[in-house]
Amino acid sequence: MELFHSYKKIIKPILIYFGALMVLAIGVALYCYGAIPRDLLKSKYAPSKIYYMNYDIAVLNDTKDNDLLKYGYELFSNTPQYIGPDNGNENMVYQGNRLACKNCHLGLGTKPYSAPLIGIIQRFPQYRGRENKIGTIEERVNGCMERSMNGKMLPEDSKEMRGIIAYLEWLSRYAPDDGKIKGTGFLKIKIPERAVDLNHGRSVFEKHCIVCHGRDGQGLMREDGSAYEYPPLWGDNSYNNGAGMTRVITAAQFIKGNMPFGTTYDDPILTDEEAYDVAGFINSQNRPKKANPEKDFPDLKKKPVSTPYPPFADNFPIEQHQMGPFQPIMNYYKQKFKITKTK
């Protein structure tokens, strides 16, 4: 009997091990021969293949059209060098900070779930609740100029605007007619049913963010001083409080799919709660204030619940719009106005 039990202890694990190997081998074989749909093993967030096509500006030859496109690319990559406070021409200062477009639109506008710009041309004209009207792509660019760049609008007929649009058109050249491709916007998160925990957010920041953005959140400037390698997250050279990134939910979604640097949609490092709390911590810091924020969202019912500045179409305190919990506000709009809010 003892011999039987000893035999069982030795043989059983071996049988389990080889059985598992056989199941794995059969699964691989079925997958390789198409018996298992390949999409079954992909992340539900797997983006369109269009993101992996050729967006290398270096392949373009020198023509008049391409010169404008390359200028737009330069503006996108090195924005403050051309229209920032230190560009050397006071008539060309359109930025109030020193960010570059690529600091937010990662991969030069081609990274999935990082507000990518592939297909954006086909998606405009587009209705936007912030203005409560159908807007043009030029108006959308200028929305970034006034908010993310904490500056002023570019003239729509300027070389700078035409260059940026040329670059966006080039990025969108493979996109379908409606511009709708999987991977736009940001990853979704499960929003914690509580207010932001600022202490936890600080600890997440100190653990994951200071290596690039610095302990003081002021980022890392290039050696030549022309632009930021890693952008400031608050302070004079960051986005103002009118930017979409000042919404905790929006910032948390961006962070989840992209931060710390190197994170991808299919391999996030932070949990939803960590992304939520660190987004709140970052947005609790001082930053520039946008002029005339009360003019945003003429129809206040369309204002995102995590917009950090009044007025609102509800009586929830400003602090709750800034730091949550957001579910009670969302429930209010659902019951009162039949509007489903997600951010």
Side-chain angles (χ1 to χ4, degrees), residues 127-133 142-144 146-148 240-244 246-247 289-304 307-313:
Y127 172 80
R128 292 183 59 77
R130 184 181 271 156
E131 294 81 24
N132 199 30
K133 73 182 187 77
N142 272 330
C144 281
E146 290 188 302
R147 301 164 190 280
S148 297
N240 68 36
N241 71 329
T246 55
R247 301 176 200 144
K289 301 292 189 290
K290 181 187 176 293
N292 303 315
E294 70 280 356
K295 293 183 179 180
D296 288 353
F297 300 95
D299 183 350
L300 290 176
K301 296 190 299 298
K302 295 177 180 176
K303 200 170 193 176
T307 303
Y309 53 88
F312 304 107

Side-chain angles (χ1 to χ4, degrees), residues 15-212:
L15 290 175
I16 292 173
Y17 175 76
F18 281 104
L21 283 179
M22 286 185 66
V23 170
L24 178 62
I26 292 169
V28 169
L30 290 172
Y31 175 78
C32 291
Y33 285 99
I36 296 177
R38 300 197 173 209
D39 288 343
L40 189 65
L41 301 181
K42 289 183 179 178
S43 163
K44 66 177 181 178
Y45 291 112
S48 165
K49 293 179 181 178
I50 200 171
Y51 289 95
Y52 308 106
M53 299 182 79
N54 184 10
Y55 300 102
D56 183 3
I57 205 83
V59 304
L60 297 176
N61 55 18
D62 293 325
T63 66
K64 186 175 180 179
D65 288 343
N66 285 348
D67 285 348
L68 182 64
L69 163 56
K70 290 176 181 179
Y71 181 56
Y73 168 83
E74 273 296 310
L75 279 165
F76 197 90
S77 304
N78 303 298
T79 318
Q81 194 172 321
Y82 296 91
I83 59 174
D86 309 315
N87 78 75
N89 181 353
E90 63 180 15
N91 295 322
M92 284 298 297
V93 177
Y94 288 94
Q95 282 185 264
N97 59 28
R98 293 165 177 81
L99 296 180
C101 301
K102 70 174 186 179
N103 290 146
C104 292
H105 302 280
L106 305 185
L108 293 164
T110 67
K111 186 184 180 190
Y113 301 107
S114 175
L117 299 170
I118 296 169
I120 194 169
I121 290 294
Q122 290 89 335
R123 296 196 293 273
F124 276 83
Q126 181 186 92
Y127 172 80
R128 292 183 59 77
R130 184 181 271 156
E131 294 81 24
N132 199 30
K133 73 182 187 77
I134 301 292
T136 65
I137 184 62
E138 289 83 3
E139 289 174 314
R140 182 67 188 92
V141 170
N142 272 330
C144 281
M145 288 303 305
E146 290 188 302
R147 301 164 190 280
S148 297
M149 297 303 190
N150 189 37
K152 61 184 181 180
M153 293 189 291
L154 288 167
E156 292 193 2
D157 60 352
S158 65
K159 181 182 177 183
E160 288 66 38
M161 178 65 81
R162 290 187 293 111
I164 290 171
I165 299 302
Y167 179 61
L168 299 181
E169 288 174 341
W170 185 72
L171 287 182
S172 300
R173 68 195 188 279
Y174 300 122
D177 290 343
D178 61 4
K180 293 181 180 179
I181 52 178
K182 195 172 180 182
T184 57
F186 306 121
L187 285 186
K188 302 301 181 186
I189 67 164
K190 183 179 179 182
I191 304 167
E193 295 189 22
R194 58 171 175 78
V196 165
D197 182 336
L198 290 176
N199 289 328
H200 182 229
R202 180 189 295 275
S203 68
V204 174
F205 182 83
E206 291 175 348
K207 180 178 179 181
H208 294 284
C209 309
I210 62 174
V211 66
C212 292

